[in-house]
Amino acid sequence: MTNTWIVATLVAVVAGMVGFFVVVRRAAFAAHVLPLGAFPGAAAASLLGVSELAGIAVFCALGVLGISQLQRWERREVATALWLAVALALGTLFLSMTRQYSRGLYALLFGEVLGVSSRQLVPVAVLSAIAIATTAVLFRPLLLDSLSSELAAAAGAAGRRMELIFLSVLALSTAMALPVVGALMVFSLMVGPASAARLLTDRPRTAFALSVAFSLATVWGAIALSYLSDWPVGFFVGALGGLSYAAGRLRAGRARR
Amino acid sequence: MHALGLIFAPGLLANGPVRTALIVGAGAAIVSAVVGVFTVMRGQSFAGHALADVSSAGGSAAFLLGVSPLLGFLGLAALAAGGMEWADIRDARERDLVTGVVLGVGLGLTALLLYFDTLWGSTSGAAITVLFGSMFTIPASIVPLALAVAAVALVAIGTIYRPLLLSSLSADLAQAQGVRVRRTALVHALALALAVSLAAMTVGAILSTALLIGPAAASLRLADRPGRALVWAVLFGWAATWGGIVLAYDSFYWTPGRGWPVSFFIVLLILIAYLLASLAGRGGRLALRGARER
């Protein structure tokens, strides 16, 4: 239970931080597609008998390269959708080759937080430290580029490079969180709390801190509810994310009047 | 004759499930391609994908209740599409977020319903069937309903063709011309829901995006007029679907016993079409026009 709590807390902090940038950059689709496109890596790893994390990392990296390459030809969301099609087509192929994977598939997509072993703890801790450090170092340039790409270009931060860096940070946090909370829940955790935080304040630093706090509350609440009810964690993460966004909307609407 | 025998494995067309797959697959591919062209031009690829994923909650509920999965997919997709249009959010960033939040809630619901499926249901493979589809197990009884859904979607797009095209290329221009932009958007969203649920039935919820966006993106790189783009998209989608079914059927003979999944071959063919179209195309002016305006 302690392992679960530590890992879930790390995942929540990273998701809250990265989620803030997902929201200001309007990158919800990429935040959905990178994790979903990385699960074929896990299936391939089990096919080849290598470590699951290695497979996921390779597919995350391929996703970053694939999306940024396709963006040269297509607008952003079409490029993202095309990469999704490529990755999932490979995913179905790998799944059809390993018949026993149906149980593992559910865990990979929707997560199984209540079963974290101590051996999974170390890579998650290392990866989340890297993700937190990168986000902290890049906070100012990334924020500048997200808010006004023209201003950032004048200050010497090239837009395409920033997009690549942002996608890499997204991929890194995905690789870390995916084996623990599942491909679909990484996404819910990035979008729900951060979008609620943005509704409550216009100040970037406050929104950033609120986003991390909401994300922690969502994860802890979801684990507790899941433990009590025996229902999947993924359901509570999605529901709490939706609720916090709705609450934020309601509050923001009242403040405007 | 021998060469034909190599492509069309013996017994292909005499096989009932294959015939059902060919009919339903063609319907899904054609409707997805037509609706997809407008979806790409309007910059709503994310919404299209989100609808498919949310509809998978309906698919899982249908498994639980024992009703036709098409009805499940359809019900939730229509509900989500109506909801997103009803919220009527103009600001692009806010639209992205609302789509994301709806998607997150829908996925949570899918997780819960699939969990109930494994808990109480007899079918342990519900997750794979709902998310990745299984074309050769589509019941023949679904054909009339599937064709009716396809026809409704095509008629809906046909009746609003001109205003929809105008408002997809430039919403401001359409408004100035007296087009009812909101009603057009609503009809498009509902047609999108129909297309997505049909595609979710055939290639599965998370791959239906390939049928929706793939042929449309390929055709928009090739053609410089909307009408031609529609024709190309339909041809690409239809050919890829039938080609994928034939290849998957044949693959039972080349691989040791199991065969490879239909969805894999369909997406593979769509991607080949996209790459060829990119090489032959004139740079996708049509696809980018809407983007520059936003």
Side-chain angles (χ1 to χ4, degrees), chain B residues 29-110:
Chain B
I30 293 170
V31 175
S32 294
V34 169
V35 177
V37 169
F38 292 105
T39 306
V40 169
M41 280 199 288
R42 297 168 74 84
Q44 291 184 336
S45 308
F46 184 30
H49 174 74
L51 278 185
D53 275 4
V54 172
S55 79
S56 68
S60 341
F63 256 95
L64 204 59
L65 301 172
V67 298
S68 154
L70 182 57
L71 286 179
F73 282 119
L74 211 60
L76 235 74
L79 206 68
M84 278 193 227
E85 277 310 316
W86 174 74
D88 184 39
I89 289 144
R90 291 285 158 80
D91 179 30
R93 177 184 293 169
E94 203 59 37
R95 206 172 56 194
D96 189 66
L97 285 185
V98 170
T99 312
V101 171
V102 169
L103 177 56
V105 175
L107 289 174
L109 212 56
T110 310

Side-chain angles (χ1 to χ4, degrees), chain A residues 24 26 28-29 32 39 73-75 77 84-86 88-89 92-93 96-97 106 109-110 198 230 232 235 245, chain B residues 40 43 45-46 49 53 93-94 96 98 100 108 111-112 115 131-132 206 221 258 260-261 264 267 271 274 287 291:
Chain A
V24 277
R26 277 203 261 147
F29 197 18
H32 174 65
F39 100 84
W73 304 333
E74 294 286 349
R75 48 207 267 192
E77 77 289 344
L84 181 69
V86 176
L88 289 181
T92 41
L93 184 61
S96 78
M97 290 176 168
Y106 184 85
L109 290 178
F110 300 106
R198 198 196 53 101
D230 227 21
F235 168 69
Y245 179 76
Chain B
V40 169
S45 308
F46 184 30
H49 174 74
D53 275 4
R93 177 184 293 169
E94 203 59 37
D96 189 66
V98 170
L112 185 64
Y115 168 74
L131 295 171
F132 295 96
I206 52 182
R221 298 199 63 83
R258 284 229 213 93
W260 286 4
F264 168 72
V267 177
L271 289 169
Y274 176 78

Side-chain angles (χ1 to χ4, degrees), chain B residues 85-176:
Chain B
E85 277 310 316
W86 174 74
D88 184 39
I89 289 144
R90 291 285 158 80
D91 179 30
R93 177 184 293 169
E94 203 59 37
R95 206 172 56 194
D96 189 66
L97 285 185
V98 170
T99 312
V101 171
V102 169
L103 177 56
V105 175
L107 289 174
L109 212 56
T110 310
L112 185 64
L113 290 166
L114 283 178
Y115 168 74
F116 288 154
D117 279 339
T118 54
L119 211 57
W120 302 323
S122 49
T123 43
S124 58
I128 294 214
T129 309
V130 169
L131 295 171
F132 295 96
S134 54
M135 237 172 177
F136 292 140
T137 62
I138 299 173
S141 58
I142 224 167
V143 170
L145 180 62
L147 289 182
V149 167
V152 168
L154 286 178
V155 168
I157 292 289
T159 45
I160 58 162
Y161 178 73
R162 290 238 140 247
L164 179 60
L165 190 60
L166 195 59
S167 68
S168 302
L169 288 172
S170 160
D172 293 336
L173 201 66
Q175 197 120 43

Side-chain angles (χ1 to χ4, degrees), chain A residues 144-256:
Chain A
L144 194 64
D145 179 67
S146 309
L147 295 178
S148 159
S149 49
E150 282 162 34
L151 211 64
R160 180 157 289 160
R161 215 182 62 206
M162 266 336 211
E163 177 76 11
L164 193 64
I165 290 173
F166 167 71
L167 284 176
S168 307
V169 174
L170 195 60
L172 190 67
S173 39
T174 295
M176 167 208 125
L178 200 146
V180 189
V181 294
L184 299 173
M185 291 310 115
V186 182
F187 163 74
S188 307
L189 204 52
M190 279 180 185
V191 173
S195 53
R198 198 196 53 101
L199 282 172
L200 293 181
T201 173
D202 286 334
R203 298 224 300 272
R205 272 165 215 281
T206 321
F208 187 72
L210 271 181
S211 161
V212 173
F214 287 168
S215 167
L216 278 172
T218 306
V219 166
W220 290 340
I223 289 181
L225 287 170
S226 159
Y227 190 70
L228 290 176
S229 66
D230 227 21
W231 287 7
V233 176
F235 168 69
F236 292 110
V237 171
L240 288 175
L243 277 180
S244 54
Y245 179 76
R249 271 304 279 261
L250 228 62
R251 232 202 99 134
R254 201 169 296 156
R256 217 168 284 150

